Amino acid sequence: MTSAIRRIWNVPESLHTPESVYFNRRRHRREFLRTALAGTLSVGIGGLLAGCSRPSDEELEEAGRVEPLPEEFTSLYPAERNAAFEYGRPETDKRAAAEYTNFYEFTGPSQWKDTYNYVDKFEPTPWTVEIDGMCSKPQTLDLDDLYRKMSLEERAYRHRCVETWAMCVPWTGFRLRDLLALAEPQPAAKYVLMETFHRPEQAPYVPKNSSYPWPYQEGLTIEEATNELTFMALGVYGEPLPKQHGAPVRLVIPWKYGFKSIKSIVRITLTDEQPATFWNTLVPNEYDFQANVDPDVAHPRWSQKTEWMLGTKERYPTLKYNGYGEYVGSLYPA
Ligand SMILES: Nc1nc2c(c(=O)[nH]1)N[C@H]1C(S)=C(S)[C@@H](COP(=O)(O)O)O[C@H]1N2
Ligand SMILES: [Mo]
């Protein structure tokens, strides 16, 4: 593991620009384009996202599409919805969620969120996930193993990005707890470290920013990792994950800021030391290890009091633990 020898990076001012700034920049670029091409294009109005370079639904689907999985697995979709979970808000439009994603292996933090435009070289099949470290049965699972050994359910979860955008999305997958059980964690294991693929040739932003602490890593305490809510997703909206949402398998932790929900996982390590994580290593004063959603703790550069929904831009007050206190409040004694 390389995390122990990572140095503290010099982080440019532009890093993690608040989304209002992205919007404005993008708008300017688009307005320039519109002016330049005036008369030749019909341009949508009525939203900052409207613009001449928006893909059609088909183009968007095509951009994120992973090589077809065997019918044996695709026939498992849609999985049965777990009735215990409800959004309490309208579900986010599938297209709105697929069009605006964070995946910094493909696009930079100060770029627009059109990751789907940069994932063409990414090959999420074949794929393996290694479980190693402090466990009695370390093992390597391929996608067949994940589909055969785990039983799939669908969960309607709220998602809150630290940048203040939010979405309500149905994920298909299984509890991380049930996956970890296969490897039989040892009592000494206190943390779980997760790591994303490292393939600079498939992910254009990785070689562009070679000083970043790639591969993307995240971590949880063992109590967090084995909580009822902590979910591994193979699919979203009743289909296998598109590339930009973290194909073929990603974490989903609804009570923490989105950056904890690591995508395209290749390794899960049980350890007795708190792991170094990508954002905490890069910008330690802005992104802590725990990263629980909390409206009363402002980000150093913006308030966390409210959030806005992808697609509708509707605003809601942000809730402590993203409203999941009933499940996780006891993990964090006041
Ligand atoms: N490997 C990897 N995982 C990642 C990220 C990333 O850049 N790389 N971004 C995170 C952030 S900041 C968020 S908000 C969520 C976004 O998930 P979505 O883009 O599928 O909505 O993924 C998280 N997982
Ligand atoms: Mo995020």
Side-chain angles (χ1 to χ4, degrees), residues 15-16 24 55 66 77 103 114 133 173 178 206 249 256 296 303 314:
L15 197 65
H16 250 210
N24 290 332
V66 177
Y77 293 92
F103 205 162
D114 57 341
D178 299 328
V206 171
V249 60
K256 292 179 179 286
D296 297 326
S303 160
E314 216 178 331

Side-chain angles (χ1 to χ4, degrees), residues 102 161-162 258-259:
N102 274 343
C161 174
V162 74
F259 65 87

